[in-house]
Amino acid sequence: MDDIIENVKDYYSKQLQSKNDLKTNSCCCSEKPPAEIREIVPLIADEILDRFYGCGSPLPPLLEGMTVLDLGCGTGRDVYIASKLVGESGTVIGVDMTAEQIGTAKKYREEQSKRFGFKASNVKFLQGYIEDLKSLGIEENSVDVVISNCVINLSPAKEQVFKEIYRVLKPGGELFFSDVFADRRIPESLTTDPVLRGECLGGALYIEDFRRLMAECGWADFRYTSISGIDLGDEEIESKLGFASFSSRTVRAFKLDTLEDICEDYGQAAYYDGSIPGFPHFFDLDDHHRFFTGKPMLVCGNTASMISETRYKKAFKVIGDRSVHYGKFDGCGSDGGSELPKTGSSCC
Ligand SMILES: C[S@@+](CC[C@H](N)C(=O)[O-])C[C@H]1O[C@@H](n2cnc3c(N)ncnc32)[C@H](O)[C@@H]1O
């Protein structure tokens, strides 16, 4: 376990100097971010953008005034984007274990705050482990939104990470993260290979083990918001890992004690009022719930909770409650969405 941590630190401090040094496109964003985020990216310092190793765009909407925690923030690209989105009344905390990464991130605190026109910086960076947020002073029920971009796959103690996230989130808080997943378990001899691990492939979670792990750590239901296949590209890596399919996925999960392990039908309906900035016509809660503005849609009990007991409630109206049960709600929940794609697409 310590060897994995030390190899990953070495990879992100010594082996990689910029995203051009990556051997594959697994740590490489294939998801087109919403316009609100695309407008902020040019305001971020070049050095930070050059050393961005994310595999998605885990920045959910409605962040103004929120406390956001970025796990494995690297040189801080997503922390600074979130800083602009939460505004001067919000706070963003970035955690990373690699001194070089976090050192670069810290260097730009004042500069980025000036670029955003803020009186003072609203970000802080903490050097430490995402498996132990307690020792960094992050209290339970203190964070509105946890984000993470291509990091949890690297952890040798993923169960501890998901438990820590559950602990620090406020009730109704959101976990929104992008990561690399596999369609089967990776043999142990390959999970410890420093290059495969560093490239975010060796430690990729098998999607069904991820589902089991989430349930064990308190997350009764979670949703994928996007899934893109990864082409390994590099011949040597392909020769070792070509037996598996990898995908980059963005996951949305809420800390809600009203969620059930499968979706149940209580005859509820919901509609979206079109008020989330950047989403006037529809809002995708996940890969199988597109809410068109003003159009009622039948929802299961879990979906109703996700949009009525969280910060999204200001944009949704839910009709009905759980007083009458109509049986299982088919085609929804953690396994209700898309299948793993067979081929990849990438912007890199
Ligand atoms: C693929 S990079 C992604 C960095 C950043 N999220 C981004 O999008 O540019 C992975 C980062 O996670 C950090 N990391 C990996 N395992 C960690 C752990 N267990 N605790 C804290 N940081 C970790 C590494 O130091 C590295 O900066």
Side-chain angles (χ1 to χ4, degrees):
M1 174 156 157
D2 288 351
D3 284 355
I4 290 182
I5 290 270
E6 289 313 313
N7 286 338
V8 170
K9 270 189 197 165
D10 181 73
Y11 209 73
Y12 285 93
S13 57
K14 304 205 171 64
Q15 313 298 324
L16 301 182
Q17 296 309 318
S18 86
K19 58 187 174 192
N20 299 329
D21 298 330
L22 288 163
K23 293 186 194 315
T24 68
N25 65 22
S26 55
C27 303
C28 202
C29 180
S30 59
E31 196 180 349
K32 189 178 176 194
E36 190 184 27
I37 293 166
R38 294 202 304 274
E39 282 161 19
I40 301 172
V41 174
L43 302 175
I44 308 288
D46 289 344
E47 186 182 7
I48 294 174
L49 296 179
D50 279 351
R51 297 174 68 186
F52 168 59
Y53 305 126
C55 57
S57 182
L59 288 146
L62 295 176
L63 289 184
E64 198 174 347
M66 297 289 124
T67 297
V68 175
L69 171 64
D70 182 3
L71 299 182
C73 61
T75 55
R77 188 255 201 192
D78 290 343
V79 168
Y80 287 118
I81 293 176
S83 156
K84 179 79 168 71
L85 294 169
V86 301
E88 288 187 278
S89 61
T91 306
V92 188
I93 306 161
V95 170
D96 202 285
M97 67 179 182
T98 305
E100 288 79 358
Q101 294 282 90
I102 207 131
T104 303
K106 274 185 183 166
K107 207 168 69 182
Y108 288 94
R109 269 182 83 240
E110 297 315 318
E111 158 101 28
Q112 284 300 149
S113 130
K114 270 195 211 132
R115 289 188 187 197
F116 298 152
F118 294 168
K119 288 198 191 80
S121 178
N122 60 356
V123 309
K124 68 176 172 190
F125 291 101
L126 304 172
Q127 188 181 341
Y129 298 98
I130 60 173
E131 295 83 358
D132 184 12
L133 301 172
K134 201 173 201 165
S135 70
L136 295 174
I138 303 177
E139 303 286 341
E140 66 181 65
N141 301 331
S142 64
V143 173
D144 296 291
V145 178
V146 171
I147 61 172
S148 183
N149 204 343
C150 218
V151 176
I152 300 175
N153 71 83
L154 296 166
S155 171
K158 296 177 175 60
E159 181 178 350
Q160 189 54 31
V161 175
F162 289 114
K163 284 187 174 158
E164 273 294 79
I165 298 170
Y166 202 88
R167 185 184 67 80
V168 302
L169 272 179
K170 294 178 187 172
E174 181 177 15
L175 164 63
F176 197 66
F177 77 102
S178 301
D179 222 310
V180 176
F181 292 86
D183 72 339
R184 65 202 65 196
R185 294 180 185 135
I186 306 301
E188 199 178 331
S189 58
L190 299 175
T191 65
T192 50
D193 177 308
V195 172
L196 300 182
R197 190 89 189 187
E199 292 284 321
C200 295
L201 296 164
L205 261 177
Y206 163 47
I207 45 175
E208 300 304 337
D209 284 344
F210 170 61
R211 182 180 54 73
R212 294 181 183 108
L213 188 58
M214 287 294 271
E216 280 163 26
C217 299
W219 309 91
D221 188 2
F222 67 87
R223 308 290 173 83
Y224 293 113
T225 65
S226 81
I227 304 178
S228 341
I230 292 171
D231 284 329
L232 298 178
D234 181 89
E235 259 178 45
E236 202 184 327
I237 290 184
E238 179 80 42
S239 71
K240 291 181 179 171
L241 285 177
F243 59 87
S245 287
F246 293 87
S247 55
S248 160
R249 297 174 173 231
T250 299
V251 175
R252 166 171 279 144
F254 295 98
K255 177 176 173 176
L256 286 170
D257 57 16
T258 48
L259 298 182
E260 298 176 279
D261 63 342
I262 59 165
C263 295
E264 300 289 350
D265 187 354
Y266 298 98
Q268 294 168 288
Y271 71 86
Y272 169 54
D273 69 8
S275 66
I276 298 180
F279 300 93
H281 306 301
F282 60 82
F283 178 70
D284 291 335
L285 179 71
D286 54 46
D287 62 356
H288 55 293
H289 283 95
R290 171 162 290 186
F291 288 92
F292 285 97
T293 301
K295 184 178 177 191
M297 183 166 159
L298 293 176
V299 291
C300 69
N302 283 356
T303 299
S305 291
M306 291 177 189
I307 55 179
S308 64
E309 297 169 29
T310 64
R311 70 185 194 291
Y312 291 91
K313 66 182 173 204
K314 58 180 139 183
F316 285 91
K317 182 158 174 56
V318 173
I319 301 151
D321 54 29
R322 294 195 184 193
S323 54
V324 184
H325 182 229
Y326 296 94
K328 185 175 176 245
F329 193 107
D330 286 322
C332 185
S334 311
D335 57 358
S338 328
E339 286 300 308
L340 178 68
K342 293 283 179 268
T343 54
S345 66
S346 171
C347 62
C348 301

